[in-house]
Amino acid sequence: MKSWPYEMIKLKNVGVRKAKQMRDLEIDRQTSPLIIHGPLPTTTIANSILCSYIYSSGRVRGTCKQVIKELDPTIGKHLEVSMYLTEESRLTIDGFACKNWELIKNLAVKITVYNGCCKQVVQTNTTKLCSTKSIVTINGKFPGPTIYAREDDSVNIRLTNKVQYNVTIHWHGVRQLRTGWADGPAYVTQCPIQPGQSYLYNFTLTGQRGTLLWHAHISWLRATIHGAIVILPKKGVPYPFPKPDKEKIIILSEWWKADVEAVINQSTITGLPPNISDAHTVNGQTGAVPGCISPGFTLHVDSGKTYLLRIINAALNDELFFKIAGHNITVVEVDATYTKPFSTDTIFIGPGQTTNALLTADKSIGKYLIAVSPFMDTVVAVDNVTAIAFLRYKGTIAFSPPVLTTTPAINATPATSAFTDKLRSLNSKKYPANVPLTVDHNLYFTIGVGIDPCATCTTGSHAVGDINNVSFIMPTKALLEAHYYNISGVFTDDFPAKPPISFNYTGNNTAMNLRTTNGTRAYRLAFNSTVQIVLQGTTVIAPESHPFHLHGFNFFVVGKGLGNFDPDNDPKKFNLADPVERNTVSVPTAGWIAIRFKADNPGVWFLHCHLEVHTTWGLKMAFVVDNGKGPDESILPPPSDLPTC
Ligand code: C2O
């Protein structure tokens, strides 16, 4: 991978008036190259920032505009500079050299910074578990670079594909109001970016603050293409909890020694379930596992300080527990919405979910184990290797043994509900929980897995995932384009509102044949209609917990239960006052979840199990939300560089 050389930006003559038009400069030191990028201050800043830039074939100097043009003429009007900032870098404003990183971060100077502009999809060799393989990454990093932005920022990230796979990226949990073209699921909102091609993802962060994640949304590439999105509150707006001294990102993931694309391809050929992963990781590190010594990730803390942990589950198929020995943490936000704070020693987090929690380093100086272990309360095979990381206080004596902790049992269902039952929307004046109180569309979706014959599989059969007995078939054109341009033959809008046959969904059905049908069927919603979905887990083949994710919306989790949903009595117990608001929720094994949302975002939006193995098997469907009548109630036109299939 080509690494960006160190260079310098110099800001001259940036007066207060001009500075106001700019935005904040955020720097993520670990994940440079730093990209400064933003559509705002083209004339004022691009002309007044002096840049010089060294790259392999020479050096450019001049105003940013000139430099940028030289480096990448396709970028046009945008101010976009990529440079590798090191401790020795200088940023000069009005002749004032800023060497101090804190100061640089607080400068009144623009700019949304993306380590991402020119996010490049590249192959990189990586060694874990004492074995080396080539992985697909963004800019050579695993996990990938963090995107920092503020609420109301517009984000522009150009993705350039330099590998042999088709690629897309999904900004998981970003509302994408009217900008479905930038949502990212392949064949749902866009055709994939083909090898050698690039696409500019352009969207605005509206009404959200907290942590989200981005990940590839095609095949199983998200195993190694994922990273954090940090949305800070607007400038001057505090967090609704005590200001932490520092923030730390913690990304949990899964690792296969084998090539992950080969794992899923082989499963498709044979019809057998794909191999489980070989280990879990914390910020890319597994910690020691039997047969392979590895240091594991260390979270460094100073005694007495409080840290905001931004915890992300980027695993493909595993719901996880996260625990720090000897420390309770206080949950303050999930899926980029604030919650009522509560203290816990264990976090339960499904793939696609994020949890922000405050950790105060108030224990004796030393080293404490951080354990990340899987949850699986049924007979399905799962990677049961616990990832090991450490919390380390400054001043800890070298080689001190860590304070240990136990992990919840792998099938500790009560530990999952102990956590999820405490989650409540903050529901303050400033951050109200706007739960829909009436319901226009009352949907009952059974979700499960079955076995169907498969003529092309070597075993003659394969697993299918279905919602209301429909196993979703991916189209070969993007659904959003078919909807926008009224192209028929790509999908139908007759997705069933309830299961075709009613039976005891959570009874003894492991041998049952559902007679699943295949189809590319969507459910149509009028703009601003209100929707309730009861997601009913079934026991066909095997009951299992399913972390369900809805694109384009947050929903409120108004009810939850074991067994079959009772439409007469269960709604009486719904929480319509302060239910948690999120984008991904675990439907309990052989149980149900009720969610509500308002269809205030026109477009085509995917709903699927966020266990990649189940998505692959067809446990997914799409909503089509029609345009409204008002001026801001229609899908924006597609960008001119939208990839074609
Ligand atoms: Cu995070 Cu459709 O996925």
Side-chain angles (χ1 to χ4, degrees), residues 170 172 215 217 549 551 608 610:
H170 169 49
H172 179 117
H215 62 75
H217 209 304
H549 172 47
H551 288 229
H608 62 92
H610 213 271

Side-chain angles (χ1 to χ4, degrees), residues 502-514:
S502 96
F503 59 98
N504 178 6
Y505 307 107
T506 53
N508 183 11
N509 299 317
T510 47
M512 185 162 163
N513 180 351
L514 274 175

Side-chain angles (χ1 to χ4, degrees), residues 304-358:
K305 295 237 151 82
T306 298
Y307 297 81
L308 180 65
L309 306 183
R310 297 176 176 273
I311 306 163
I312 296 169
N313 185 345
L316 262 74
N317 298 320
D318 294 349
E319 298 182 291
L320 298 167
F321 293 115
F322 172 92
K323 204 173 169 191
I324 306 178
H327 292 72
N328 271 11
I329 51 182
T330 303
V331 175
V332 291
E333 181 240 296
V334 294
D335 296 5
T337 62
Y338 294 129
T339 61
K340 290 198 173 75
F342 67 91
S343 167
T344 180
D345 63 357
T346 306
I347 277 181
F348 172 58
I349 187 164
Q353 293 185 320
T354 56
T355 302
N356 279 11
L358 296 168

